[in-house]
Amino acid sequence: MSAFTIKDIAKICNVGISTVSRAINNDPGINKNTRERILKVIDEYHYVPNNSARNLKMTESNTIALLIKGIDNQFFQGMIKIYEEELKKMKYSFLIHAVGEEQDDASVALELAKEKRLKGIIFLGGLMDYPEEEMNMIGIPYVLCTVAVNMEKPKRNCISVSIDDEKESYRAVDYLCKKGHKRIAIITGRETDYAVGGLRLAGYIQALKDNGIEYDAELIRYMKSDLPEYSCANGYQVAKELLASGIEFTAIYAISDLVAFGAYKAVFDAGKRIPEDYSVMGFDGLEITKYFNPSLTTMMQPCSQMAKHSIELLMKAIDGDTDKKQIIFDAELLERDSVADIHS
């Protein structure tokens, strides 16, 4: 069957041409069942790979890129190691690329995919707010991991791994309410943040409402736009201003552990104690939070599971799976020493 081509094999097996090429070239990264299925069809149709098909592997690298928005974020630092270890086991090369705060993730991904001939991309962090057509232009499989979605726009139809920011934020604030706190200040994202910051703020407002507490706009404090987002410096500055304002409150809920760390220093600098004078709660579950003094009560994101699942989904997409699966994990409440029970 001389007219039979690699395209025909790909069509019959419902996979991409590059996946057929990888099966022919015995690529270690390909799913075993997918490879066997392709080779069976090749055998059935007596297909003889030509040189261009044989050499297709030579024009591809075996590299997965991790595109990180917010490379300094300690939460992401913990995930990078997991990505590196897992991809190494699968015989993939691993490339880390930091995306600047003002850079366009989609454009960076498109350029990198061409330049490095990538097999796939995992986006870590940032806000994915680009038109579907622009993302499709990247031309290779990709997965969004802990990437924020714009709460004001429809959900994107793509492979993603995340937590439900609004739901988990609700749980954090509900916990503080159940401890007797009625005056809860929040340090949330920047005022223009309609992604993680906006969603966690929405969870805060709803939890107060469900506990019969009217939210006070004076207790909603936004991160400073002239300081790095989700940083100790931002948390310190915002908490310092809150404490100096004279507004009454009993607890600070910071939507990131590093922001909570900054709030700790502001409280101590004001000559106050945690949790005797003010309770403080964080979000993320960074390893260092158990070494804070007092240890920080926080919502822990399952970063190991999230990293592993995003790799698994990417591998399936590389093998031709077209299912746009969206996995949402639960966070875990780590109850420690920074929150007081103030029931009178």
Side-chain angles (χ1 to χ4, degrees):
M1 255 186 112
S2 56
F4 203 75
T5 69
I6 193 168
K7 281 185 182 176
D8 298 316
I9 299 286
K11 198 171 180 183
I12 291 165
C13 298
N14 195 26
V15 296
I17 293 170
S18 63
T19 306
V20 176
S21 170
R22 290 166 63 217
I24 292 166
N25 288 290
N26 200 15
D27 185 325
I30 194 169
N31 178 284
K32 189 185 168 194
N33 294 336
T34 303
R35 182 176 178 272
E36 284 173 3
R37 187 157 51 88
I38 291 167
L39 294 180
K40 190 181 173 194
V41 171
I42 286 171
D43 189 49
E44 275 176 25
Y45 286 85
H46 308 294
Y47 170 69
V48 179
N50 61 28
N51 285 338
S52 63
R54 240 194 286 267
N55 292 334
L56 187 57
K57 190 185 176 193
M58 303 303 291
T59 67
E60 289 182 335
S61 72
N62 209 34
T63 306
I64 302 296
L66 187 63
L67 260 64
I68 310 174
K69 196 82 167 248
I71 189 103
D72 297 329
N73 188 328
Q74 283 205 2
F75 175 64
F76 295 150
Q77 295 294 327
M79 294 179 90
I80 290 170
K81 195 180 174 193
I82 300 161
Y83 279 117
E84 196 161 15
E85 286 171 357
E86 292 300 309
L87 288 165
K88 203 174 176 183
K89 283 182 205 168
M90 300 168 119
K91 306 284 194 295
Y92 276 98
S93 303
F94 178 60
L95 170 73
I96 299 172
H97 189 91
V99 183
E101 206 167 305
E102 302 308 316
Q103 279 186 296
D104 178 316
D105 304 63
S107 300
V108 171
L110 179 59
E111 201 176 309
L112 205 64
K114 284 179 182 173
E115 186 190 321
K116 304 290 183 185
R117 302 192 306 278
L118 300 173
K119 271 275 170 68
I121 294 175
I122 295 170
F123 290 91
L124 193 60
L127 170 64
M128 204 49 69
D129 203 11
Y130 307 100
E132 207 78 43
E133 308 76 56
E134 199 176 333
M135 294 302 292
N136 290 341
M137 280 172 66
I138 295 168
I140 56 171
Y142 66 87
V143 175
L144 310 183
C145 184
T146 72
V147 169
V149 292
N150 190 324
M151 59 196 284
E152 296 191 326
K153 294 199 175 179
K155 269 199 162 181
R156 179 177 294 286
N157 181 32
C158 61
I159 307 167
S160 67
V161 176
S162 63
I163 59 161
D164 183 331
D165 285 292
E166 187 172 346
K167 184 186 94 171
E168 300 303 347
S169 185
Y170 178 101
R171 285 178 60 209
V173 179
D174 185 61
Y175 167 79
L176 291 171
C177 293
K178 299 290 190 280
K179 288 286 185 182
H181 295 274
K182 290 183 170 63
R183 300 284 297 166
I184 303 165
I186 182 174
I187 304 178
T188 187
R190 292 172 182 166
E191 220 160 338
T192 53
D193 184 351
Y194 294 109
V196 172
L199 289 164
R200 291 184 188 171
L201 176 58
Y204 160 88
I205 291 169
Q206 191 60 48
L208 290 179
K209 187 180 174 186
D210 289 355
N211 280 278
I213 303 164
E214 188 84 29
Y215 83 86
D216 181 346
E218 287 194 295
L219 292 177
I220 296 174
R221 298 288 165 144
Y222 297 98
M223 287 183 211
K224 304 287 180 187
S225 55
D226 58 340
L227 290 170
E229 252 185 318
Y230 298 96
S231 65
C232 296
N234 222 317
Y236 175 75
Q237 192 57 43
V238 176
K240 188 179 171 185
E241 287 178 16
L242 172 67
L243 288 156
S245 72
I247 295 161
E248 278 187 35
F249 64 96
T250 60
I252 297 174
Y253 164 46
I255 69 161
S256 124
D257 290 338
L258 288 179
V259 171
F261 207 3
Y264 263 48
K265 179 166 168 53
V267 171
F268 297 146
D269 282 1
K272 301 295 182 182
R273 299 163 302 161
I274 300 170
E276 293 84 355
D277 297 309
Y278 298 107
S279 292
V280 179
M281 185 163 183
F283 199 109
D284 281 340
L286 298 179
E287 178 76 9
I288 55 166
T289 55
K290 64 181 172 190
Y291 302 109
F292 283 16
N293 186 19
S295 56
L296 181 69
T297 295
T298 183
M299 300 298 295
M300 183 173 73
Q301 298 197 55
C303 64
S304 177
Q305 285 174 277
M306 289 162 86
K308 287 175 182 175
H309 268 76
S310 56
I311 291 171
E312 193 182 304
L313 291 174
L314 184 64
M315 292 303 131
K316 284 182 179 175
I318 287 170
D319 285 342
D321 189 342
T322 56
D323 186 13
K324 300 284 193 264
K325 193 169 278 187
Q326 296 174 344
I327 297 178
I328 296 172
F329 283 97
D330 289 331
E332 181 188 349
L333 171 63
L334 299 180
E335 197 170 355
R336 298 209 183 108
D337 304 323
S338 64
V339 174
D341 191 321
I342 61 165
H343 284 103
S344 47

